Every structure is written in structure tokens, then in C-alpha cells.
């Protein structure tokens, strides 16, 4: 009847209005999300472009160390924040690492000696972005932090069978088997206690990408230094 028809029309109008309101809210949420994404892109660009400008001014004014420091920091930010491609190459990783080392040398007044042994054949091998620098950071923060006398880090990259093998060795205080187990613990309390979340994350990321036989291994003895190994299958950039 007419009454029922009008009731259905009212219900349809209410439903249409609710759908329109929901659509408006979804569009607004999408717009805010896109704006936030754009802002997150702008801020890093602003940051390292500003560092580039500061570096140029410092160079003009003859402050060479400040200029180099700004350039290295700008390179670190640019590499770290450009996650369009999650993979890099050994060559790209080494450029990033050397920017990091320059910044740390300024901070630590060149207290640490670095030595590189890199097989040219692996320079175009691919690996997840920011895999090597955290291993060196771990050596500085844990192996060498309380080390007396000469401090040294050796970074190596080469081929073992069909795998890419990277190692970071320090002559620091070393660690016990218990400490090594803590580094690989999935217990949040243990991770907070040892503060080497970088090693754990890299290890789990490699296992996720390449299988459980790959990842990070640590060889160490107290007072005899530490070697951290990173092993993944070889894949050369541009190959399928």
C-alpha cells in the first residue's frame, strides 16, 4: 500500500544518506593518508637538501671538515630513506658504510682503524638495503666501546661456494656464548637488555627472504674479539 511504499522510500533515502556520509568519511581519510604520505616524503628531502646547502656554505667558507660531515650525513639520510627498492648492491652498501664511518670518525676522533677486503666479483651482488652498516655499528657499540688501546674493524666480502659471505671483525672485548644466545633471543626482555636489536632483525630478515640456513652467525671469545658473518645466496644485479 501507499504507506508501506513511503516507508520503504524513507528507508532507502536514509540508507543512501548513510552511504554518502560513509563515502565522504572514507575519501577524507584517504586524503589525510595521502597528505601524510606526501609530508613524510617532503621532510626527508628537506632534511638532506638542507644538509647539502650547509655543506656547500661550509666549503665556500673553508670549513672542509664541516662540509664533508654534512655531505656524509646527507648521503646517509638519502640512502636510508629511499626505500623504493628494498634491495641494493654490495657497492651501494659500501658507499653507505663509508659515509657512516666518516661521521663516526669525526665523533670518535679517528680512534678506530678500518680495513677493507672486498672481492671485486661481488660488488654488483644484491642484498637487502642497510645490511652491512648495522654490523659495523654493533662492533663499535659492543666490541670496541670499552676496549683499551688500538681499535680495529675489518670488513670483508667474498664468495663461498654459491653464496655471498660478508664478515665484520673487531679486536674488541669479545663475548661469551651466553651473550651470543641473548643477541638471537626472541624474548623482548632479552632484546632490551642486550640492545643489539639490529643483529637480531638482520638475521630474521635474511631467514625470511632466503631460508633458515642463511642469516647472521657470530664467532667470539671474551677478550679475543668478535667476527659477525652474514651469508646469503648470490644474486647479481640485473639477473633474473
Amino acid at each position: 500500500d501507499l504507506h508501506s511504499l513511503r516507508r520503504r522510500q524513507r528507508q532507502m533515502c536514509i540508507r543512501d544518506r548513510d552511504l554518502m556520509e560513509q563515502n565522504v568519511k572514507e575519501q577524507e581519510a584517504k586524503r589525510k593518508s595521502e597528505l601524510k604520505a606526501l609530508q613524510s616524503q617532503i621532510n626527508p628531502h628537506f632534511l638532506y637538501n638542507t644538509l647539502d646547502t650547509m655543506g656547500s656554505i661550509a666549503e665556500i667558507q673553508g670549513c672542509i671538515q664541516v662540509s664533508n660531515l654534512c655531505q656524509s650525513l646527507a648521503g646517509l639520510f638519502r640512502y636510508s630513506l629511499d626505500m623504493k627498492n628494498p634491495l641494493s648492491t654490495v657497492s651501494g652498501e659500501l658507499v653507505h658504510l663509508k659515509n657512516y664511518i666518516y661521521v663516526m670518525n669525526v665523533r670518535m676522533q679517528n680512534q678506530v682503524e678500518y680495513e677493507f677486503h672486498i672481492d671485486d666479483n661481488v660488488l654488483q651482488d644484491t642484498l637487502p638495503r642497510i645490511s652491512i652498516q648495522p654490523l659495523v655499528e654493533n662492533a663499535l657499540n659492543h666490541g670496541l666501546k670499552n676496549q683499551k688501546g688500538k681499535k680495529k674493524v675489518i670488513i670483508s666480502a667474498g664468495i663461498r661456494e654459491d653464496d655471498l659471505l660478508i664478515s665484520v671483525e673487531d679486536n674488541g672485548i669479545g663475548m661469551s656464548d651466553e651473550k651470543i644466545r641473548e643477541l638471537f633471543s626472541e624474548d623482548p626482555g632479552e632484546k632490551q637488555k642486550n640492545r643489539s636489536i639490529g643483529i637480531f632483525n638482520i638475521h630474521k630478515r635474511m631467514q625470511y627472504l632466503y631460508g633458515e640456513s642463511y642469516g647472521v652467525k657470530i664467532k667470539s671469545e671474551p677478550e679475543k674479539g668478535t667476527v659477525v658473518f652474514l651469508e646469503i645466496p648470490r644474486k647479481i644485479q640485473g639477473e633474473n
Side-chain angles (χ1 to χ4, degrees), residues 73-97:
L73 279 169
L76 283 172
F77 282 122
R78 188 175 289 112
Y79 188 82
S80 300
L81 296 166
D82 180 13
M83 298 306 286
K84 292 174 189 172
N85 185 354
L87 294 178
S88 184
T89 62
V90 171
S91 177
E93 283 286 284
L94 290 174
V95 171
H96 177 69
L97 174 60

Side-chain angles (χ1 to χ4, degrees), residues 44-224:
H45 283 283
F46 175 78
L47 186 59
Y48 56 67
N49 286 341
T50 302
L51 282 167
D52 276 337
T53 303
M54 290 168 60
S56 298
I57 293 169
E59 186 176 10
I60 290 167
Q61 295 187 352
C63 305
I64 301 304
Q65 188 180 59
V66 175
S67 173
N68 291 340
L69 185 59
C70 287
Q71 289 173 15
S72 293
L73 279 169
L76 283 172
F77 282 122
R78 188 175 289 112
Y79 188 82
S80 300
L81 296 166
D82 180 13
M83 298 306 286
K84 292 174 189 172
N85 185 354
L87 294 178
S88 184
T89 62
V90 171
S91 177
E93 283 286 284
L94 290 174
V95 171
H96 177 69
L97 174 60
K98 287 176 181 179
N99 279 327
Y100 172 78
I101 286 172
Y102 182 83
V103 173
M104 294 308 296
N105 274 341
V106 172
R107 284 185 59 189
M108 301 175 71
Q109 299 179 329
N110 295 302
Q111 293 177 357
V112 181
E113 178 187 346
Y114 295 89
E115 191 174 302
F116 288 85
H117 300 284
I118 310 297
D119 184 339
D120 289 345
N121 292 310
V122 302
L123 287 174
Q124 295 308 309
D125 281 26
T126 61
L127 72 169
R129 186 180 288 262
I130 312 179
S131 296
I132 301 178
Q133 177 265 325
L135 306 183
V136 175
E137 185 174 351
N138 179 76
L140 297 180
N141 289 342
H142 296 274
L144 298 175
K145 189 173 183 179
N146 298 313
Q147 168 76 354
K148 307 295 182 184
K150 184 179 179 181
K151 300 179 180 183
K152 188 171 185 178
V153 176
I154 302 171
I155 299 103
S156 304
I159 301 165
R160 185 165 79 174
E161 296 179 353
D162 292 325
D163 294 337
L164 168 65
L165 183 65
I166 293 162
S167 67
V168 174
E169 180 178 358
D170 68 67
N171 68 335
I173 59 174
M175 62 182 79
S176 64
D177 289 343
E178 181 183 1
K179 176 70 173 177
I180 294 172
R181 281 194 297 271
E182 286 177 6
L183 289 178
F184 292 101
S185 170
E186 297 196 43
D187 179 1
E190 292 290 352
K191 285 193 283 182
Q192 286 177 4
K193 185 170 72 175
N194 63 58
R195 291 192 239 163
S196 271
I197 296 173
I199 293 280
F200 176 83
N201 280 356
I202 290 171
H203 178 61
K204 297 307 287 186
R205 187 162 42 133
M206 301 305 162
Q207 287 194 325
Y208 175 78
L209 290 169
Y210 305 111
E212 292 194 359
S213 60
Y214 293 102
V216 176
K217 292 183 175 67
I218 297 178
K219 180 181 177 183
S220 184
E221 288 184 53
E223 310 307 325
K224 292 188 178 179

